[in-house]
Amino acid sequence: MASKVTERGPAARRPFLLELYGSALGKKYVMAITGIVWMGYVLAHMIGNLKLYQGADYINEYAEFLRQDLMSPIIAQGATLWLLRSVLIVALVLHVVAAYQLTVMNKKARPESYRSRRDFVAADFASRTMRWTGVIVLLFILFHVADITLGWANPDPDGSVFDRTVASFQNPASAGFYLLANLALGFHLYHGSWSLFQSMGWNNPRFNHWRRAFAIAFAVIVVVPNLSFPIAVQLGIIS
Ligand code: HEM
């Protein structure tokens, strides 16, 4: 293909990564890589949250360790948490922006007549589900940080991490939102961890049943314990 000619001569090439990001493939890479970052986080976070079952002292001490001593003295006290937070925030922003831009791109160039009706319906259902579950999870993260980390939306804002978590889950509306959001997260993780293989080009048909098994197992392992926490507080098992 002939390159575009401008008044200054042939169009200057953008840096490789920007050029790649301009394509749908580049945006899919960004979604897959940032998705993997958050998959790692939600798995580690769920494992940490299991300390709720061990009792207040365990989870409070663990939260203090994350805040102050993670990677110390290799990295200055308290700095690792901010490093991790920065990676998570950047990954979340990139994930949401790439998702939005891909949706716009797909809408503009939707070759409906080339697709079979069955594929079209399946793909459309999956992407619509991803959009809705994504929006719910995003709103959840904002609420959750305001609720437990910052205490702004919490009935016991000055309590310990354990107290704030229990206070939040004792409120049926808040517990219900945690359940809804974690179910949405389950669908999002299932479809996301299935399609990230496709996006990264790791999709040999011989491995498809492993991909599906991995996607289901990952979603279940993260979400089932997460669902159990608000339920355990409502039932008085954690108090
Ligand atoms: C029922 C399930 C969950 C429980 C019991 C829970 C519990 C907690 C607790 C106790 C904290 C505060 C830690 C601290 O301040 O030291 C926290 C922070 C956080 N949680 Fe969760 N969480 C749950 C689900 C999730 C999910 C599904 C996500 C993401 C999709 C998430 C993302 C975060 C984030 C981003 C923070 C802020 C971390 C920071 O302070 O830098 N949580 N969570």
Side-chain angles (χ1 to χ4, degrees):
M1 212 204 303
S3 70
K4 238 194 248 166
V5 176
T6 66
E7 280 172 16
R8 283 178 295 146
R13 276 200 151 264
R14 285 182 297 174
F16 171 72
L17 284 179
L18 275 183
E19 193 72 34
L20 181 63
Y21 186 75
S23 69
L25 183 70
K27 292 183 179 45
K28 284 183 182 173
Y29 281 151
V30 166
M31 294 216 62
I33 293 164
T34 52
I36 292 171
V37 168
W38 271 85
M39 282 168 71
Y41 177 73
V42 290
L43 180 65
H45 190 42
M46 179 282 291
I47 294 171
N49 287 338
L50 288 172
K51 297 209 179 316
L52 283 168
Y53 285 114
Q54 289 177 282
D57 290 348
Y58 284 86
I59 190 138
N60 289 339
E61 219 170 274
Y62 171 68
E64 199 49 35
F65 162 78
L66 291 183
R67 235 170 261 157
Q68 293 300 328
D69 297 327
L70 189 64
M71 298 288 285
S72 157
I74 301 175
I75 296 182
Q77 262 206 336
T80 312
L81 183 64
W82 277 105
L83 213 66
L84 278 176
R85 283 174 170 163
S86 313
V87 171
L88 286 175
I89 293 169
V90 170
L92 187 63
V93 170
L94 288 175
H95 196 80
V96 172
V97 170
Y100 174 76
Q101 291 178 336
L102 266 175
T103 308
V104 172
M105 263 177 132
N106 284 344
K107 282 214 165 114
K108 273 194 191 148
R110 186 177 258 182
E112 282 172 41
S113 51
Y114 293 109
R115 289 196 219 166
S116 78
R117 174 94 194 126
R118 204 168 139 260
D119 282 356
F120 174 67
V121 169
D124 211 40
F125 177 74
S127 54
R128 232 178 315 134
T129 310
M130 286 309 268
R131 238 171 287 147
W132 277 109
T133 53
V135 168
I136 294 172
V137 172
L138 184 62
L139 293 177
F140 165 76
I141 293 173
L142 298 178
F143 168 71
H144 181 52
V145 170
D147 179 25
I148 297 186
T149 306
L150 302 172
W152 297 344
N154 193 278
D156 187 7
D158 299 320
S160 66
V161 166
F162 180 85
D163 293 340
R164 273 176 274 151
T165 308
V166 171
S168 174
F169 294 172
Q170 275 170 343
N171 175 344
S174 171
F177 184 46
Y178 272 84
L179 294 180
L180 171 78
N182 275 284
L183 284 174
L185 176 69
F187 283 108
H188 203 82
L189 281 177
Y190 164 66
H191 185 76
S193 48
W194 160 260
S195 49
L196 79 85
F197 289 91
Q198 196 98 22
S199 303
M200 298 302 287
W202 305 324
N203 59 334
N204 188 316
R206 275 193 300 152
F207 302 128
N208 273 354
H209 60 288
W210 288 112
R211 276 172 68 190
R212 193 167 298 281
F214 169 78
I216 293 173
F218 191 84
V220 168
I221 287 170
V222 170
V223 166
V224 170
N226 273 358
L227 291 174
S228 80
F229 303 124
I231 294 174
V233 171
Q234 282 286 321
L235 295 178
I237 298 168
I238 298 175
S239 62

